[in-house]
Amino acid sequence: MSTTEQRVAIVTGAARGIGAATAVRLAAEGRAVAVIDLDEAACKDTVEKITAAGGKAVAIGCDVSDSEQVEAAVTRVASELGAPTILVNNAGVLRDNLLFKMSDTDWDTVMNVHLRGAFLMSRACQKHMVDAKFGRIVNLSSSSALGNRGQVNYSAAKAGLQGFTKTLAIELGKFGVTANAVAPGFIVTDMTAATAERVGMGFEDFQAAAATQIPVQRVGRPDDIANAIAFFTGEAAGFVSGQVLYVAGGPLN
Ligand SMILES: NC(=O)c1ccc[n+]([C@@H]2O[C@H](COP(=O)([O-])OP(=O)(O)OC[C@H]3O[C@@H](n4cnc5c(N)ncnc54)[C@H](O)[C@@H]3O)[C@@H](O)[C@H]2O)c1
């Protein structure tokens, strides 16, 4: 890549929440960004935010758990923006329930979006990264990887993503590709709003209660996570690989 060429980033689940903040942040760092989510129309706001600030972005509808859709999306990114060499596997869903009430579908859906999705996207993008001898993969894990009541599916997927990340780092390091995981704590998004609803609490009260348990005494915002992802995807982070960074307002391990 010449110094004038723009690196191309893919952010999945970027229609809203952490993914949207990350797409906007990476565009502000000079990346051309593919904003991927289930529904192309839902990506419009994120794309408009980027282009209004003078950045470059395209909206692409894709279910990351579907192999054919992933291949088609990555091919489209390569032809419309250029070879994707930055990938943020952020798309996620919750299907919380206690083990004895959890359905097969609750289990499979969470595994498919988080684990299969990250696998399919990484496999589709790695050839572009290997050709470019440069790549940055960031996978969204979670503090729930350490265990969380009602989330046996989600915590297994988020812990799985940590092993996935470390193995990508080992396999792809010799091609100039790093892989790291960011594991957020409580971040204010539609996802945590849905959790508040499930446990029967108002979202404001839910946030206030969470903040009392967090050493910095506040809940996180999507930009808190976008900042960490921007570091891992940066040119300067080439010697940082296979790491899991908890971004949770306090220590977790
Ligand atoms: N919010 C938190 O507190 C928190 C904490 C830890 C980890 N995370 C993780 O961060 C990531 C983003 O979370 P968020 O809070 O912004 O969630 P969110 O629910 O606000 O956004 C998730 C996005 O992913 C998209 N998505 C879901 N399934 C998809 C699929 N199959 N293909 C493509 N897109 C799909 C959704 O449409 C949505 O736009 C997730 O992986 C989540 O598990 C969030």
Side-chain angles (χ1 to χ4, degrees):
M1 191 181 95
S2 80
T3 46
T4 53
E5 242 176 286
Q6 195 175 28
R7 295 221 190 265
V8 175
I10 291 178
V11 183
T12 69
R16 66 181 197 214
I18 293 168
T22 300
V24 169
R25 175 63 196 266
L26 296 189
E29 306 250 318
R31 287 35 172 113
V33 182
V35 175
I36 289 186
D37 211 293
L38 281 172
D39 175 19
E40 183 168 324
C43 299
K44 196 168 140 259
D45 284 357
T46 309
V47 168
E48 278 178 5
K49 225 172 168 179
I50 291 170
T51 50
K56 192 169 169 186
V58 294
I60 298 181
C62 166
D63 177 346
V64 297
S65 67
D66 182 297
S67 189
E68 279 178 24
Q69 289 187 37
V70 165
E71 287 298 328
V74 172
T75 301
R76 214 184 124 189
V77 174
S79 73
E80 290 184 24
L81 293 177
T85 56
I86 298 171
L87 170 65
V88 182
N89 285 311
N90 168 82
V93 290
L94 294 179
R95 292 292 184 273
D96 294 355
N97 229 328
L98 293 173
L99 175 63
F100 77 103
K101 289 193 280 190
M102 186 170 287
S103 70
D104 295 12
T105 310
D106 290 339
W107 176 268
D108 291 343
T109 300
V110 167
M111 293 301 147
N112 284 341
V113 177
H114 296 268
L115 281 176
R116 186 178 157 85
F119 158 64
L120 293 176
M121 287 298 310
S122 303
R123 190 180 61 182
C125 289
Q126 58 79 30
K127 50 186 172 288
H128 296 290
M129 299 180 184
V130 169
D131 285 350
K133 296 191 171 49
F134 173 92
R136 299 281 185 263
I137 300 173
V138 179
N139 299 310
L140 270 290
S141 180
S142 168
S143 54
S144 294
L146 302 167
N148 198 25
R149 186 178 165 81
Q151 292 196 319
V152 72
N153 49 0
Y154 184 78
S155 67
K158 290 309 200 185
L161 278 167
Q162 297 189 9
F164 176 75
T165 301
K166 290 173 192 185
T167 302
L168 290 185
I170 291 166
E171 287 190 15
L172 298 175
K174 66 180 171 195
F175 303 109
V177 180
T178 67
N180 292 285
V182 172
F186 188 117
I187 309 298
V188 177
T189 68
D190 289 357
M191 187 176 270
T192 37
T195 304
E197 204 176 325
R198 181 176 62 83
V199 301
M201 278 177 84
F203 195 28
E204 293 300 324
D205 290 344
F206 192 58
Q207 290 179 48
T212 64
Q213 304 303 310
I214 298 171
V216 300
Q217 295 286 288
R218 71 168 177 89
V219 290
R221 302 273 161 196
D223 279 342
D224 290 314
I225 305 307
N227 288 336
I229 295 171
F231 166 70
F232 282 126
T233 57
E235 306 290 319
F239 204 55
V240 183
S241 197
Q243 301 305 301
V244 178
L245 180 66
Y246 285 91
V247 182
L252 293 170
N253 51 49

